[in-house]
Amino acid sequence: MEENLEIPIKAEHRTVVFFDGLDVDGYRMPNGEFRVGLAGASRVLGYNEDWLGIALKRSARTAKELRGLGFSENIKKVIAQSKQGNLLDDSTISLKDFNRLIAYATYKGKKAALALQLSLTELSLMDFFRDSFGES
């Protein structure tokens, strides 16, 4: 697992709500990249909050399966201020890696991951069709 052990990067924080009951901590990096907090990524897919961190450090099998799906293990530490004014210190993954986790958790039978994957696919399909027919 590649983890930035240097000074955390200052990022913007927002709660990203997919639909009722499914949300994650989202971060926007200074370069504009969006990232997802590890605990929220684990939780929204139906795992315990510490699942991903533990899986990458202690489970060679899970890490190997994730790498097989293209998971980069590029973890970046961030600090951000919440809307309530609290200072957040979090570890994050890229949206590409989050997408790989959604596929993995769906394959493993996690219902929350399947619900998220289906809703994201439906939104994407609608966007493609709207674009094709010149709708915004």
Side-chain angles (χ1 to χ4, degrees):
M1 174 173 60
E2 182 183 323
E3 187 166 355
N4 183 352
L5 299 176
E6 297 181 18
I7 299 171
I9 300 166
K10 187 174 182 181
E12 293 180 65
H13 171 267
R14 296 290 186 278
T15 300
V16 179
V17 179
F18 297 110
F19 54 90
D20 190 36
L22 290 179
D23 60 72
V24 295
D25 287 319
Y27 297 92
R28 182 167 49 190
M29 307 299 275
N31 66 0
E33 176 191 12
F34 294 111
R35 296 184 69 84
V36 179
L38 290 185
S42 297
R43 186 183 63 249
V44 77
L45 298 176
Y47 293 101
N48 291 328
E49 286 190 1
D50 58 355
W51 170 78
L52 183 56
I54 290 171
L56 293 175
K57 288 178 184 172
R58 297 186 195 158
S59 176
R61 180 178 178 189
T62 300
K64 183 179 178 181
E65 289 177 334
L66 288 171
R67 281 192 298 272
L69 292 172
F71 189 82
S72 75
E73 299 182 65
N74 182 3
I75 311 295
K76 292 185 180 176
K77 300 271 267 165
V78 298
I79 54 170
Q81 191 168 8
S82 72
K83 288 233 178 201
Q84 296 78 22
N86 302 327
L87 188 61
L88 304 170
D89 183 3
D90 208 348
S91 295
T92 65
I93 57 172
S94 68
L95 293 184
K96 182 177 178 181
D97 279 351
F98 183 52
N99 190 35
R100 299 314 188 261
L101 285 179
I102 294 169
Y104 174 84
T106 299
Y107 174 74
K108 293 294 185 179
K110 291 293 189 177
K111 290 180 182 180
L114 178 58
L116 180 57
Q117 184 178 51
L118 290 173
S119 67
L120 293 174
T121 301
E122 188 174 318
L123 287 172
S124 295
L125 286 171
M126 189 62 73
D127 287 345
F128 279 112
F129 274 80
R130 284 184 179 137
D131 287 348
S132 294
F133 285 90
E135 297 179 15
S136 306

